[in-house]
Amino acid sequence: MNQARGTVIAVSVSPAHTMRKENAQTIRLLEGLGVEGDAHMGKTVKHRSRIARDPSQPNLRQVHLIHAELMDELEARGFTVAPGRMGENITTRGVELLALPAGTNLHIGDSAIIEVTGLRNPCTQLDGIQPGLMQAVLGRDADGNLIRKAGIMGIVLQGGEVQPNDSVRIVLPPEPHSPLKPV
């Protein structure tokens, strides 16, 4: 399945391990590494909690994507959020990120390809942005299962520049599809 399904709204990067990433005109994705100049770039894990467990683990969290529709939902609930403020590198619109199966390839702009590895597991740092924000990005489905809404994570299969207004084309993996799990 190959379809143009969405658009990049913003791109963001931070060299420091902070929740907030600064918006940029362009970010460069580096194959097998992540976002050039970002604190989470690398072949092995960069998130502090993951390094503490096993610093040799492969980095499945090279790129963080959030859908702008989540920001719309949060704003309707009284939160003030903007692209890059929840730690994401790429903010999209028109892509149901949370519904994608693991292994989906996102073709962004002229050449970048990101493979979706899993869900972002929200952390308490979100409450440092605004009290209650972590709980606001969690929900429950009809069966009571936890829903994590804070975006998805991926690895860079093919590098390239990504900027606002780039198209996002989705290429699903072969079936059977595996639902996203926290990585």
Side-chain angles (χ1 to χ4, degrees):
M1 173 189 207
N2 299 330
Q3 301 180 10
R5 295 265 314 262
T7 304
V8 173
I9 299 302
V11 294
S12 308
V13 63
S14 174
H17 284 276
T18 60
M19 184 59 68
R20 180 183 178 134
K21 295 187 186 290
E22 293 301 321
N23 295 146
Q25 295 282 330
T26 302
I27 57 172
R28 180 181 303 279
L29 302 185
L30 302 175
E31 184 176 326
L33 294 173
V35 180
E36 183 177 61
D38 194 81
H40 298 113
M41 183 182 85
K43 290 183 185 282
T44 57
V45 291
K46 300 300 172 199
H47 288 76
R48 293 174 182 163
S49 62
R50 309 251 177 218
I51 290 172
R53 282 188 230 141
D54 178 2
S56 66
Q57 295 177 71
N59 186 2
L60 302 178
R61 301 162 55 115
Q62 294 174 356
V63 184
H64 177 199
L65 298 93
I66 286 184
H67 48 297
E69 292 83 356
L70 173 63
M71 294 175 191
D72 298 342
E73 175 188 328
L74 292 170
E75 287 179 8
R77 294 174 59 190
F79 292 93
T80 303
V81 289
R85 301 311 180 254
M86 291 191 286
E88 79 277 11
N89 300 109
I90 300 174
T91 309
T92 65
R93 185 168 292 283
V95 180
E96 291 184 51
L97 296 175
L98 304 179
L100 297 173
T104 297
N105 286 346
L106 301 175
H107 294 249
I108 305 177
D110 293 334
S111 61
I113 303 174
I114 297 170
E115 180 181 327
V116 176
T117 55
L119 295 169
R120 176 184 179 202
N121 202 16
C123 68
T124 56
Q125 290 179 342
L126 289 169
D127 286 338
I129 298 168
Q130 270 188 277
L133 187 57
M134 181 177 152
Q135 195 59 41
V137 297
L138 296 171
R140 297 274 175 192
D141 66 15
D143 297 324
N145 298 311
L146 186 63
I147 298 171
R148 293 166 177 88
K149 303 178 192 179
I152 63 171
M153 307 304 283
I155 58 172
V156 180
L157 292 184
Q158 182 173 304
E161 291 190 349
V162 177
Q163 56 196 3
N165 299 314
D166 278 350
S167 65
V168 179
R169 186 170 54 90
I170 298 165
V171 179
L172 296 175
E175 293 195 33
H177 291 159
S178 300
L180 295 178
K181 296 179 181 166
V183 293

